[in-house]
Amino acid sequence: MMWDGLHWPSRVCVTCALLPTSEHSNKPVLPLLHCFTKKHIHEHAKNKRHNLAIDLLYGGIYCFVCQDYIYDKDMEQIAKEEQRKAWKLQGVGEKYSTWEPTKRELELLRHNPKRRKITTNCTIGLRGLINLGNTCFMNCIVQALTHTPLLRDFFLSDRHKCEMQSNSCLVCEMAQLFQEFYSGHRSPHIPFRLLHLVWTHARHLAGYEQQDAHEFLIAAGQGQQPEPLQLHYRPNLHWGLQSDVTCQVCHGVSTTIDPFWDISLDLPGSSTPFWPLSPGGDCGVVNGESHQSGATTLTDCLRRFTRPEHLGSSAKIKCGGCHSYQESTKQLTMKKLPIVACFHLKRFEHSAKLRRKITTYVSFPLELDMTPFMASSKESRVNGQYLQPVDPLNNDNKYSLFAVVNHQGTLESGHYTSFIRQHKDQWFKCDDAIITKASIKDVLDSEGYLLFYHKQFLEYE
């Protein structure tokens, strides 16, 4: 939306609604509300020749002649002041205010000879973690989190403001970990404080027995403390999963949307029957994954996850249209995509009769397009196949791989490692205290247990 004049003086010209020139800027401003996406503001600019408008969200000045934003120092300061006033009225205080160095800090920056220039060969951020006794499950997740771009930017810009009285804040320890990782030190870090806090907040992970890396990831994000880590990175990993239940008699649809932490995917070889590909379908490349070798792909797993499922006569649901219990089908699709997407491949099977690890190889791509699995694309799928051609210019739902967690061994005895991306096409293997360079082939040939992707293009709300 463009400028509506809500927080500006009400003295406006009744003819053209222009504000008088203010002391902050010599540019007239339009106090008229028009939407940008539907081009209403464009029509107004063309008809009235009012070529300057203000973006309501960020306070930026947009020029319709240049078709670009114009930087104005005075306007930026006004926008900041108005933001502070709006946040104060809403009772949220200083929300995500930008850091502006003081004179003392500027002086320190000028005279600090240790400032580092980040290059493509830079190894800052790469640091091993000492295994404190079967703690590889924690180390591999810490490596993935410390190389999550948005988390890194958040913690290194000193955004966390702790309100806890004790020294048991898990988020504070994560902030300290980021400082340790990006300090430039090469010696392995000993995460004893993090382990202590994990044991404190997640009792089921306490002790030196072997633990599940996926359970640690969930515990880190949903910790039972006044300010769990999820408050800072849960929005980045948060899925909006749409469930559509369709009555088989009247075809009425009941829709619910629930938040999910990650997506857990069934694999071939488990006791749950795996939905096969259509005969002769998709023998080419989808999402950079080839079916020619006969390997199961991440796309296959997502197709199975989002396929319609018949609930059967033993699971009848009361239909709002029929006013009686009827058989139905259920289908899951993605209503809202997270900025950082985590896929959990269900390699550990626990049942009354069976406890085992599933070692089925699953091919996963460096770049992933989630468009076929969106709720908006549901009508374009037949038998799980997405029939519409994927638009290569539409980047809204495209992701890039940046971390992979692997498990070697059996259900009873094993070891976790991780691959992390430092720069574009530069990968490293993290095996507790040992960091070694890895190739893209090493990454893509690995078994895969947890796959971390981040959006290629961010949408700001």
Side-chain angles (χ1 to χ4, degrees):
M1 286 291 185
M2 289 304 203
W3 168 251
D4 67 349
L6 289 178
H7 296 99
W8 290 75
S10 58
R11 293 172 296 158
V12 296
C13 175
V14 294
T15 304
C16 62
L18 283 175
L19 281 174
T21 301
S22 71
E23 61 180 358
H24 301 288
S25 171
N26 60 0
K27 300 178 180 67
V29 184
L30 293 174
L32 294 174
L33 181 64
H34 290 289
C35 70
F36 192 86
T37 53
K38 294 183 179 180
K39 307 291 185 181
H40 292 157
I41 190 70
H42 298 72
E43 294 171 10
H44 176 82
K46 182 179 179 181
N47 295 334
K48 299 293 184 179
R49 294 187 181 181
H50 294 162
N51 293 319
L52 295 176
I54 297 179
D55 185 335
L56 278 179
L57 195 58
Y58 302 108
I61 299 177
Y62 188 85
C63 174
F64 289 95
V65 177
C66 306
Q67 294 186 356
D68 200 357
Y69 283 91
I70 300 170
Y71 176 75
D72 184 274
K73 188 175 180 180
D74 292 333
M75 192 64 222
E76 183 186 42
Q77 189 60 39
I78 294 170
K80 285 181 182 178
E81 290 299 323
E82 293 299 323
Q83 267 189 339
R84 291 191 187 101
K85 290 177 185 177
W87 287 333
K88 189 175 181 181
L89 286 173
Q90 295 171 29
V92 295
E94 292 286 332
K95 184 179 179 183
Y96 299 127
S97 56
T98 56
W99 173 69
E100 295 180 3
T102 62
K103 290 182 179 180
R104 172 63 177 160
E105 288 169 334
L106 285 171
E107 197 66 24
L108 288 171
L109 287 170
R110 289 192 193 98
H111 292 88
N112 185 6
K114 294 183 179 181
R115 280 190 288 167
R116 298 175 183 272
K117 183 179 180 181
I118 304 298
T119 64
T120 54
N121 296 320
C122 181
T123 58
I124 292 178
L126 294 174
R127 194 169 185 184
L129 290 166
I130 296 294
N131 191 319
L132 300 174
N134 285 332
T135 57
C136 56
F137 74 94
M138 178 181 73
N139 290 349
C140 66
I141 297 298
V142 169
Q143 292 288 358
L145 293 180
T146 51
H147 289 88
T148 302
L150 284 178
L151 280 184
R152 178 195 61 209
D153 295 346
F154 177 88
F155 282 109
L156 292 183
S157 61
D158 199 24
R159 290 280 185 87
H160 171 55
K161 307 297 181 185
C162 185
E163 297 178 0
M164 295 183 67
Q165 300 299 322
S166 63
N167 294 323
S168 60
C169 178
L170 186 59
V171 192
C172 286
E173 183 56 29
M174 283 301 299
Q176 184 59 38
L177 267 178
F178 274 88
Q179 296 294 334
E180 292 288 348
F181 265 74
Y182 291 91
S183 64
H185 296 309
R186 293 177 176 269
S187 59
H189 179 67
I190 306 174
F192 66 93
R193 273 193 51 78
L194 177 64
L195 182 63
H196 169 71
L197 290 173
V198 168
W199 286 0
T200 302
H201 297 297
R203 298 286 185 182
H204 64 288
L205 297 176
Y208 292 101
E209 295 83 9
Q210 294 198 3
Q211 304 289 354
D212 184 3
H214 181 234
E215 287 190 15
F216 173 75
L217 177 64
I218 294 173
Q222 299 176 340
Q224 301 300 312
Q225 57 170 323
E227 190 179 17
L229 188 56
Q230 63 169 320
L231 292 182
H232 296 287
Y233 74 81
R234 186 173 181 181
N236 303 334
L237 295 171
H238 182 268
W239 297 83
L241 204 59
Q242 178 170 317
S243 173
D244 294 316
V245 178
T246 305
C247 174
Q248 294 299 284
V249 176
C250 70
H251 302 291
V253 180
S254 173
T255 299
T256 57
I257 300 172
D258 296 305
F260 271 75
W261 176 246
D262 58 8
I263 300 296
S264 293
L265 301 171
D266 289 317
L267 303 179
S270 67
S271 58
T272 305
F274 192 82
W275 182 57
L277 287 170
S278 300
D282 274 10
C283 58
V285 174
V286 179
N287 268 327
E289 305 159 311
S290 176
H291 283 81
Q292 295 174 354
S293 63
T296 302
T297 69
L298 178 61
T299 302
D300 293 337
C301 298
L302 286 167
R303 282 192 185 128
R304 185 191 185 282
F305 185 80
T306 56
R307 84 197 192 289
E309 177 186 4
H310 184 66
L311 297 181
S313 58
S314 61
K316 290 184 178 180
I317 294 176
K318 189 170 185 180
C319 174
C322 300
H323 303 290
S324 61
Y325 287 91
Q326 304 289 355
E327 292 189 25
S328 58
T329 59
K330 180 180 179 180
Q331 184 174 12
L332 298 175
T333 50
M334 316 301 174
K335 180 65 176 178
K336 181 179 182 296
L337 294 175
I339 296 175
V340 178
C342 176
F343 298 101
H344 166 227
L345 304 183
K346 294 163 72 172
R347 296 201 173 275
F348 303 124
E349 188 170 25
H350 303 270
S351 65
K353 300 179 180 178
L354 198 61
R355 290 184 72 253
R356 62 177 180 140
K357 180 185 174 185
I358 301 167
T359 57
T360 304
Y361 173 70
V362 176
S363 169
F364 49 89
L366 287 173
E367 295 189 349
L368 177 68
D369 189 349
M370 289 296 292
T371 302
F373 313 107
M374 298 295 292
S376 57
S377 305
K378 189 172 66 169
E379 302 303 323
S380 303
R381 284 201 297 273
V382 176
N383 196 23
Q385 307 295 324
Y386 185 61
L387 302 181
Q388 296 293 328
V390 176
D391 184 1
L393 299 178
N394 184 6
N395 297 306
D396 290 347
N397 305 322
K398 291 184 179 178
Y399 287 80
S400 295
L401 184 72
F402 72 92
V404 179
V405 170
N406 287 292
H407 179 270
Q408 292 86 37
T410 64
L411 190 65
E412 291 76 23
S413 177
H415 180 61
Y416 286 102
T417 60
S418 59
F419 289 105
I420 57 96
R421 192 184 71 184
Q422 175 75 349
H423 302 288
K424 183 174 175 59
D425 297 334
Q426 289 191 17
W427 287 84
F428 291 86
K429 182 179 181 180
C430 304
D431 186 351
D432 287 333
I434 302 172
I435 309 289
T436 54
K437 197 168 180 60
S439 66
I440 294 177
K441 186 177 185 302
D442 294 333
V443 177
L444 297 181
D445 286 349
S446 65
E447 191 176 79
Y449 178 51
L450 297 171
L451 310 175
F452 293 85
Y453 288 83
H454 66 77
K455 265 194 171 184
Q456 294 180 356
F457 291 87
L458 301 186
E459 301 163 353
Y460 293 93
E461 296 179 352

